[in-house]
Amino acid sequence: MATVTVEEHDAWKAARRSAVTAPAGNLALIDTRWGADDPDAALAGQPATVRATLLRNREGLPGVRLWDAESPAIRNFERIDTFAYDPAWVLEARWTDAPDQKPFEHLRDKGRTRDLPVPGDLHLTLAGRDYTLSAFDDDGELLLVFGDPTNGSQTYGGGRFLIVERLSDELVRLDFNRAFVPPCGFSEHYNCPLPPPQNRLAVPVEAGEKLPIFKPGFVH
């Protein structure tokens, strides 16, 4: 099974750092105002480092997001703590088409669920146990939201994300070394999907990102 080099993995970690600290990266989000549809009005009174963008949720409700290129979170960010690269966590799973909408609870939805487009099932055997995992279509990429026993201790409590690589019509690759902290782990103004029951693994996944690390004394 093909794996990446240490240099390639270091490059991925560097790209992740650049992405979360970018002017519109995860650490830059300082507010999400649902129901608002005027970016200029949202910028009133904000410093010059802040910009506004429009968005709509799946129900069509408009909103405005405010991004600060010099947010306190960016200024106090040190790094993303990660596990050491382990080729044993590069796994393959069988893919079967099953176009469907499946329920995913979101972090700030207080127990309610939303149906997300799940184009197929991932059939994975891990530590002698068979799983049927659901990865949803996230703007053309297959995104797996998964949980494991490291959540809340070693890794982000709400689970982690992983981009699924399609190898063929019947095979996918899951490189858990590239499991990453979801946007909610960097800003409280995101509302991330949580792992559904079928995506909760019984084995501790000691691979990929753990948690963002900030300067001492910074309350995130």
Side-chain angles (χ1 to χ4, degrees):
M1 186 182 303
T3 57
V4 302
T5 65
V6 172
E7 290 76 16
E8 289 172 326
H9 189 62
D10 287 344
W12 175 79
K13 291 192 293 183
R16 278 285 295 157
R17 179 183 178 86
S18 295
V20 301
T21 58
N26 294 164
L27 291 165
L29 184 61
I30 59 171
D31 201 1
T32 299
R33 301 179 181 179
W34 290 110
D37 59 4
D38 186 344
D40 291 334
L43 287 172
Q46 297 290 339
T49 56
V50 175
R51 70 185 186 96
T53 58
L54 281 170
L55 76 158
R56 287 187 181 275
N57 66 12
R58 293 181 181 271
E59 290 74 39
L61 181 69
V64 172
R65 276 183 166 160
L66 296 180
W67 312 83
D68 187 353
E70 296 183 7
S71 70
I74 289 176
R75 287 188 279 107
N76 286 277
F77 177 72
E78 290 191 342
R79 68 185 188 281
I80 304 174
D81 199 15
T82 64
F83 291 99
Y85 179 80
D86 184 353
W89 280 108
V90 183
L91 307 175
E92 290 183 354
R94 185 169 55 87
W95 167 270
T96 55
D97 290 324
D100 199 1
Q101 304 283 315
K102 293 188 180 180
F104 284 72
E105 181 184 347
H106 281 60
L107 184 63
R108 309 195 192 286
D109 283 358
K110 299 180 180 179
R112 293 181 291 112
T113 61
R114 309 180 192 185
D115 287 343
L116 296 179
V118 176
D121 294 324
L122 313 178
H123 304 277
L124 174 70
T125 300
L126 180 60
R129 179 170 172 177
D130 294 331
Y131 296 89
T132 299
L133 309 176
S134 299
F136 66 87
D137 187 335
D138 183 41
D139 293 329
E141 289 188 310
L142 280 175
L143 183 64
L144 177 66
V145 181
F146 74 95
D148 72 274
T150 69
N151 299 155
S153 54
Q154 294 172 282
T155 63
Y156 180 65
R160 289 180 288 168
F161 289 2
L162 178 64
I163 302 298
V164 178
E165 181 184 358
R166 292 290 298 267
L167 299 177
S168 69
D169 290 342
E170 298 180 350
L171 197 64
V172 299
R173 177 179 292 136
L174 305 174
D175 184 352
F176 285 97
N177 293 285
R178 295 194 174 185
F180 59 96
V181 177
C184 286
F186 297 91
S187 172
E188 64 180 4
H189 300 290
Y190 287 101
N191 188 12
C192 300
L194 297 172
Q198 67 270 24
N199 288 6
R200 297 185 181 275
L201 306 175
V203 177
V205 180
E206 296 179 332
E209 293 183 348
K210 298 179 183 179
L211 292 165
I213 303 299
F214 297 90
K215 294 178 182 177
F218 178 70
V219 179
H220 178 239

